[in-house]
Short mmCIF file of all heavy atoms in Angstrom, two decimals:
data_model
loop_
_atom_site.label_atom_id
_atom_site.label_comp_id
_atom_site.label_asym_id
_atom_site.label_seq_id
_atom_site.Cartn_x
_atom_site.Cartn_y
_atom_site.Cartn_z
N ASN Z 1 13.25 5.76 11.11
CA ASN Z 1 13.34 7.16 10.72
C ASN Z 1 12.28 7.49 9.66
O ASN Z 1 11.69 8.56 9.68
CB ASN Z 1 14.72 7.46 10.15
CG ASN Z 1 15.77 7.57 11.24
OD1 ASN Z 1 15.41 7.78 12.40
ND2 ASN Z 1 17.04 7.43 10.88
N LYS Z 2 12.05 6.55 8.74
CA LYS Z 2 11.03 6.78 7.71
C LYS Z 2 9.66 6.87 8.35
O LYS Z 2 8.85 7.70 7.98
CB LYS Z 2 11.07 5.66 6.67
CG LYS Z 2 12.14 5.83 5.64
CD LYS Z 2 11.95 4.79 4.58
CE LYS Z 2 12.96 4.96 3.48
NZ LYS Z 2 12.84 4.01 2.43
N GLU Z 3 9.42 5.99 9.32
CA GLU Z 3 8.10 6.00 9.99
C GLU Z 3 7.92 7.31 10.74
O GLU Z 3 6.84 7.90 10.76
CB GLU Z 3 7.98 4.82 10.94
CG GLU Z 3 7.74 3.51 10.24
CD GLU Z 3 7.64 2.34 11.21
OE1 GLU Z 3 7.37 2.56 12.40
OE2 GLU Z 3 7.77 1.21 10.74
N LYS Z 4 8.98 7.78 11.42
CA LYS Z 4 8.90 9.03 12.15
C LYS Z 4 8.65 10.19 11.20
O LYS Z 4 7.88 11.10 11.50
CB LYS Z 4 10.17 9.27 12.95
CG LYS Z 4 10.20 8.51 14.24
CD LYS Z 4 11.43 8.92 15.02
CE LYS Z 4 11.46 8.14 16.33
NZ LYS Z 4 12.61 8.45 17.12
N GLU Z 5 9.31 10.16 10.05
CA GLU Z 5 9.13 11.22 9.07
C GLU Z 5 7.69 11.20 8.55
O GLU Z 5 7.07 12.24 8.37
CB GLU Z 5 10.09 11.03 7.88
CG GLU Z 5 11.49 11.45 8.17
CD GLU Z 5 12.39 11.25 6.97
OE1 GLU Z 5 11.88 11.24 5.83
OE2 GLU Z 5 13.59 11.12 7.19
N GLN Z 6 7.14 9.99 8.32
CA GLN Z 6 5.76 9.89 7.85
C GLN Z 6 4.82 10.40 8.92
O GLN Z 6 3.86 11.10 8.62
CB GLN Z 6 5.43 8.43 7.50
CG GLN Z 6 6.08 7.99 6.21
CD GLN Z 6 5.78 6.51 5.90
OE1 GLN Z 6 5.23 5.80 6.72
NE2 GLN Z 6 6.20 6.07 4.71
N GLU Z 7 5.06 10.05 10.21
CA GLU Z 7 4.21 10.53 11.30
C GLU Z 7 4.29 12.04 11.38
O GLU Z 7 3.29 12.73 11.57
CB GLU Z 7 4.64 9.93 12.62
CG GLU Z 7 4.22 8.49 12.77
CD GLU Z 7 4.71 7.91 14.10
OE1 GLU Z 7 5.01 8.69 15.02
OE2 GLU Z 7 4.75 6.68 14.19
N THR Z 8 5.51 12.58 11.28
CA THR Z 8 5.71 14.02 11.35
C THR Z 8 5.00 14.67 10.19
O THR Z 8 4.34 15.70 10.35
CB THR Z 8 7.21 14.35 11.31
OG1 THR Z 8 7.88 13.61 12.32
CG2 THR Z 8 7.42 15.83 11.52
N THR Z 9 5.11 14.06 9.01
CA THR Z 9 4.46 14.61 7.84
C THR Z 9 2.96 14.59 8.04
O THR Z 9 2.28 15.55 7.72
CB THR Z 9 4.84 13.80 6.59
OG1 THR Z 9 6.23 13.73 6.50
CG2 THR Z 9 4.29 14.44 5.36
N GLN Z 10 2.46 13.52 8.57
CA GLN Z 10 1.02 13.42 8.78
C GLN Z 10 0.57 14.42 9.82
O GLN Z 10 -0.48 15.01 9.70
CB GLN Z 10 0.66 12.00 9.21
CG GLN Z 10 0.78 11.00 8.11
CD GLN Z 10 0.47 9.60 8.60
OE1 GLN Z 10 0.24 9.38 9.79
NE2 GLN Z 10 0.48 8.64 7.70
N VAL Z 11 1.33 14.63 10.85
CA VAL Z 11 0.97 15.55 11.93
C VAL Z 11 1.01 16.98 11.40
O VAL Z 11 0.17 17.78 11.73
CB VAL Z 11 1.92 15.38 13.12
CG1 VAL Z 11 1.67 16.48 14.15
CG2 VAL Z 11 1.73 14.01 13.72
N THR Z 12 1.97 17.30 10.61
CA THR Z 12 2.12 18.66 10.13
C THR Z 12 1.15 19.01 9.01
O THR Z 12 0.93 20.16 8.71
CB THR Z 12 3.56 18.91 9.64
OG1 THR Z 12 3.86 18.00 8.62
CG2 THR Z 12 4.53 18.81 10.77
N THR Z 13 0.56 18.03 8.34
CA THR Z 13 -0.41 18.30 7.27
C THR Z 13 -1.68 18.83 7.94
O THR Z 13 -2.25 18.14 8.79
CB THR Z 13 -0.74 17.04 6.48
OG1 THR Z 13 0.46 16.48 5.98
CG2 THR Z 13 -1.68 17.34 5.35
N PRO Z 14 -2.08 20.01 7.59
CA PRO Z 14 -3.26 20.58 8.26
C PRO Z 14 -4.52 19.83 7.85
O PRO Z 14 -4.76 19.57 6.69
CB PRO Z 14 -3.30 22.02 7.77
CG PRO Z 14 -2.50 22.06 6.52
CD PRO Z 14 -1.54 20.90 6.61
N THR Z 15 -5.31 19.49 8.82
CA THR Z 15 -6.60 18.85 8.57
C THR Z 15 -7.66 19.93 8.63
O THR Z 15 -7.57 20.87 9.43
CB THR Z 15 -6.90 17.76 9.62
OG1 THR Z 15 -6.88 18.37 10.89
CG2 THR Z 15 -5.91 16.64 9.54
N PRO Z 16 -8.65 19.81 7.77
CA PRO Z 16 -9.70 20.86 7.78
C PRO Z 16 -10.44 20.85 9.13
O PRO Z 16 -10.76 19.80 9.66
CB PRO Z 16 -10.63 20.48 6.65
CG PRO Z 16 -10.22 19.12 6.16
CD PRO Z 16 -8.90 18.80 6.79
N ASP Z 17 -10.69 22.07 9.63
CA ASP Z 17 -11.40 22.22 10.90
C ASP Z 17 -12.89 21.97 10.65
O ASP Z 17 -13.50 22.65 9.82
CB ASP Z 17 -11.15 23.63 11.43
CG ASP Z 17 -11.80 23.86 12.77
OD1 ASP Z 17 -12.16 22.88 13.45
OD2 ASP Z 17 -11.96 25.04 13.14
N PRO Z 18 -13.51 21.02 11.36
CA PRO Z 18 -14.93 20.72 11.12
C PRO Z 18 -15.82 21.93 11.39
O PRO Z 18 -16.83 22.14 10.72
CB PRO Z 18 -15.23 19.57 12.07
CG PRO Z 18 -13.94 19.07 12.58
CD PRO Z 18 -12.91 20.11 12.32
N ALA Z 19 -15.47 22.75 12.36
CA ALA Z 19 -16.29 23.92 12.69
C ALA Z 19 -16.28 24.91 11.54
O ALA Z 19 -17.32 25.50 11.17
CB ALA Z 19 -15.79 24.56 13.97
N GLU Z 20 -15.08 25.15 10.96
CA GLU Z 20 -14.96 26.07 9.82
C GLU Z 20 -15.73 25.53 8.63
O GLU Z 20 -16.40 26.27 7.93
CB GLU Z 20 -13.49 26.28 9.44
CG GLU Z 20 -12.77 27.27 10.30
CD GLU Z 20 -13.39 28.66 10.22
OE1 GLU Z 20 -13.72 29.15 9.13
OE2 GLU Z 20 -13.59 29.26 11.30
N GLU Z 21 -15.63 24.25 8.38
CA GLU Z 21 -16.35 23.62 7.28
C GLU Z 21 -17.84 23.78 7.49
O GLU Z 21 -18.59 24.09 6.56
CB GLU Z 21 -15.96 22.13 7.15
CG GLU Z 21 -14.57 21.90 6.64
CD GLU Z 21 -14.39 22.42 5.21
OE1 GLU Z 21 -15.28 22.24 4.36
OE2 GLU Z 21 -13.35 23.06 4.97
N ALA Z 22 -18.33 23.59 8.74
CA ALA Z 22 -19.76 23.72 9.05
C ALA Z 22 -20.20 25.16 8.84
O ALA Z 22 -21.29 25.41 8.33
CB ALA Z 22 -20.03 23.26 10.47
N LYS Z 23 -19.36 26.14 9.22
CA LYS Z 23 -19.71 27.55 9.04
C LYS Z 23 -19.83 27.88 7.56
O LYS Z 23 -20.75 28.57 7.13
CB LYS Z 23 -18.62 28.44 9.66
CG LYS Z 23 -18.71 28.56 11.16
CD LYS Z 23 -17.65 29.53 11.67
CE LYS Z 23 -17.67 29.63 13.17
NZ LYS Z 23 -16.61 30.53 13.70
N LYS Z 24 -18.86 27.38 6.76
CA LYS Z 24 -18.90 27.64 5.33
C LYS Z 24 -20.14 27.02 4.70
O LYS Z 24 -20.80 27.62 3.87
CB LYS Z 24 -17.64 27.09 4.65
CG LYS Z 24 -16.40 27.90 4.95
CD LYS Z 24 -15.19 27.31 4.26
CE LYS Z 24 -13.92 28.07 4.60
NZ LYS Z 24 -12.74 27.47 4.00
N GLU Z 25 -20.43 25.80 5.10
CA GLU Z 25 -21.61 25.11 4.57
C GLU Z 25 -22.89 25.83 4.98
O GLU Z 25 -23.81 26.03 4.18
CB GLU Z 25 -21.62 23.66 5.06
CG GLU Z 25 -22.70 22.82 4.40
CD GLU Z 25 -22.65 21.36 4.84
OE1 GLU Z 25 -21.56 20.85 5.15
OE2 GLU Z 25 -23.72 20.74 4.83
#
């Protein structure tokens, strides 16, 4: 259950979109 919660937490944490980062840069 802890591992599933960690996976869920990791999945739900938004990762920066590389395209958006490239546009900003």
Side-chain angles (χ1 to χ4, degrees):
N1 284 340
K2 279 188 177 180
E3 284 179 21
K4 280 186 180 178
E5 283 180 26
Q6 286 177 352
E7 285 178 20
T8 306
T9 307
Q10 288 178 356
V11 172
T12 58
T13 305
T15 58
D17 182 18
E20 279 299 315
E21 289 296 318
K23 283 183 182 178
K24 288 180 182 177
E25 188 176 330

